[in-house]
Amino acid sequence: MGKKPEVFTVRHGDRWANRRAGSDRVSRTYQTKQEAQEAGRKTAQRERTEHIIQNRDGKISQRNSYGNDPHPPKG
């Protein structure tokens, strides 16, 4: 079984949403970025994949891995 696609928290019009890597569709929209982040985090944890959070301008502000990291940091 291959790696599950990452979950992105993105700006969607005047709201926030989560979408899978490689998809143009969003699952649901949220009024605030915080609401979308919480939902995205839960999905990423459940599916053991990466959660990538973008700013309004589309630049990545945070990355959190909830999967099996092949190269975990030492220490």
Side-chain angles (χ1 to χ4, degrees):
M1 187 155 125
K3 180 183 169 197
K4 298 237 184 201
E6 296 91 351
V7 176
F8 284 80
T9 296
V10 297
R11 189 75 174 160
H12 187 73
D14 62 347
R15 295 174 62 93
W16 289 89
N18 292 302
R19 68 170 174 77
R20 306 257 179 212
S23 176
D24 292 330
R25 292 181 46 194
V26 298
S27 55
R28 180 178 164 195
T29 62
Y30 301 87
Q31 190 69 30
T32 67
K33 183 177 181 180
Q34 182 177 350
E35 291 173 318
Q37 277 183 245
E38 289 172 9
R41 179 175 37 254
K42 286 179 184 177
T43 300
Q45 287 173 336
R46 182 179 64 246
E47 297 187 5
R48 301 183 55 116
T49 190
E50 192 164 2
H51 181 211
I52 301 168
I53 303 162
Q54 296 181 345
N55 291 327
R56 284 180 178 264
D57 62 5
K59 292 183 181 177
I60 294 172
S61 65
Q62 293 180 34
R63 292 179 91 101
N64 299 299
S65 180
Y66 300 105
N68 293 325
D69 191 349
H71 302 287
K74 294 183 181 181

